[in-house]
């Protein structure tokens, strides 16, 4: 069965499970409107790992690209003809572009998106950093830190299995990774850069441990926002970067790749995201 959003135009979509919460349609549609791409559409589809191969096989030539969220970032890789070095480094693809010759090319815009979000807020380089958590987003954070952090990265994790994964990523990415127990996560808050990659509520207990002069907190959550940790960090005068910043910057790169437009409208996309979150 072929999947079409309409009979004409160019189509793109975000896939994942669960997917109803995704802001990607809001961001991409805002870009299309700003760029005058009236024949472009962007939808969301609830797709799990089992359904993914059939969905991709059914896409016709009107499709320009896909955004992938969990749990599909690794599952999509065997279905692709080519994977960028960035995506291969962390074995995670969040962007697929369909070439005119039919080739499916995978990339990871989370990593450069994270770097762009940091640079937008004046964080070009740090001597050391900490990562809270060790899931899929943590590997992208580690890859970003490979380009931003000149010294050691400490990862605070809950299990030895997660610790082993982070050590492996560190070796693969050339990052000096130290593993620490989650029970000691309050120690992370003294680092010049802290990247929180954990689910909602996980870092709430750390809000009371924010130091008097904190550095930069990059919390990848965007809903609910601010998190307790982000609010406390801001109250203490620290720089806070949120999940919407990451989402917008990585979406900008996706729009550019899928449409071929060299500069996507970041300001309009961010404004659309902020408006959507305000009414949730």
């Amino acid at each position: 069965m072929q999947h079409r959003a309409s009979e004409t135009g160019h189509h793109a979509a975000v896939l994942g499970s669960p997917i109803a919460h995704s802001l990607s349609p809001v961001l991409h549609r805002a870009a299309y409107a700003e760029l005058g791409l009236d024949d472009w559409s962007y939808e969301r589809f609830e797709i799990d790992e089992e359904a993914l191969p059939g969905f991709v096989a059914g896409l016709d030539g009107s499709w320009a690209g896909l955004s992938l969220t969990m749990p599909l970032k690794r599952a999509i890789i065997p279905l692709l003809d080519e994977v960028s070095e960035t995506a291969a480094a962390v074995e995670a693809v969040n962007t697929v572009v369909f070439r005119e010759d039919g080739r499916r090319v995978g990339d990871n815009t989370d990593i450069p998106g994270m770097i762009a979000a940091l640079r937008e807020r004046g964080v070009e380089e740090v001597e050391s950093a900490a990562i809270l958590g060790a899931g899929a987003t943590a590997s992208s954070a580690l890859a970003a830190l490979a380009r931003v952090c000149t010294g050691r990265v400490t990862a605070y994790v809950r299990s030895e299995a997660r610790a082993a994964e982070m050590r492996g990523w560190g070796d693969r990415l050339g990052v000096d990774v130290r593993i620490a127990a989650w029970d000691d996560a309050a120690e992370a808050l003294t680092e010049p850069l802290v990247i929180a990659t954990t689910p909602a509520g996980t870092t709430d207990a750390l809000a009371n441990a924010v130091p008097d002069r904190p550095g930069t907190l990059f919390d990848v959550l965007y809903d609910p926002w601010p998190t307790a940790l982000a609010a406390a960090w801001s109250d203490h005068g620290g720089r806070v970067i949120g999940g919407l910043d990451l989402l917008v910057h990585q979406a900008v790169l996706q729009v550019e790749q899928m449409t071929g437009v060299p500069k996507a409208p970041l300001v309009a996309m961010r404004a659309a995201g902020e408006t959507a979150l305000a009414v949730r």
Side-chain angles (χ1 to χ4, degrees), residues 24-275:
S24 290
V26 170
L27 303 183
H28 284 251
R29 290 169 186 169
Y32 300 162
E34 188 74 10
L35 295 169
L37 300 177
D38 298 333
D39 64 340
W40 281 73
S41 68
Y42 189 100
E43 306 296 335
R44 63 166 67 91
F45 291 94
E46 182 84 16
I47 301 291
D48 59 16
E49 293 170 281
E50 183 178 355
L52 182 61
F55 183 91
V56 173
L59 298 179
D60 65 25
S62 68
W63 283 79
L66 297 171
S67 306
L68 288 306
T69 187
M70 298 307 293
L72 305 179
K73 292 184 179 183
R74 184 171 294 180
I76 190 68
I77 293 176
L79 308 178
L80 304 177
D81 299 300
E82 181 183 335
V83 176
S84 70
E85 290 185 12
T86 301
V90 292
E91 295 181 347
V93 167
N94 78 326
T95 306
V96 175
V97 175
F98 299 106
R99 304 296 190 200
E100 290 185 3
D101 62 4
R103 290 176 60 80
R104 304 165 182 164
V105 180
D107 194 13
N108 185 309
T109 63
D110 286 332
I111 297 167
M114 192 170 290
I115 294 170
L118 285 165
R119 288 178 175 167
E120 183 184 35
R121 301 301 180 88
V123 182
E124 298 278 349
E125 185 177 283
V126 293
E127 295 181 354
S128 60
I131 297 176
L132 300 177
T137 306
S139 65
S140 292
L142 198 58
L145 289 174
R147 307 180 198 180
V148 175
C149 183
T150 60
R152 186 171 65 185
V153 175
T154 304
Y156 291 81
V157 305
R158 291 187 181 278
S159 69
E160 181 53 41
R162 292 294 195 184
E165 286 184 1
M166 290 300 284
R167 289 191 193 97
W169 290 123
D171 291 342
R172 189 168 185 172
L173 295 164
V175 180
D176 180 12
V177 178
R178 169 181 171 263
I179 302 299
W182 182 261
D183 290 345
D184 298 324
E187 297 175 0
L189 309 188
T190 61
E191 294 286 353
L193 172 60
V194 180
I195 303 181
T197 69
T198 53
T202 307
T203 62
D204 288 359
L206 298 175
N208 293 328
V210 176
D212 290 336
R213 295 183 178 181
T216 299
L217 171 69
F218 195 153
D219 194 325
V220 302
L221 295 173
Y222 62 85
D223 187 17
W225 185 261
T227 63
L229 179 59
W233 201 274
S234 183
D235 288 344
H236 283 75
R239 180 191 287 116
V240 175
I241 304 169
L244 182 60
D245 296 303
L246 169 59
L247 192 64
V248 170
H249 276 284
Q250 66 83 29
V252 161
L253 296 171
Q254 288 185 334
V255 170
E256 292 171 354
Q257 290 190 31
M258 293 179 190
T259 66
V261 175
K263 191 173 179 61
L266 184 146
V267 174
M269 295 168 71
R270 175 179 276 133
E274 290 173 343
T275 299

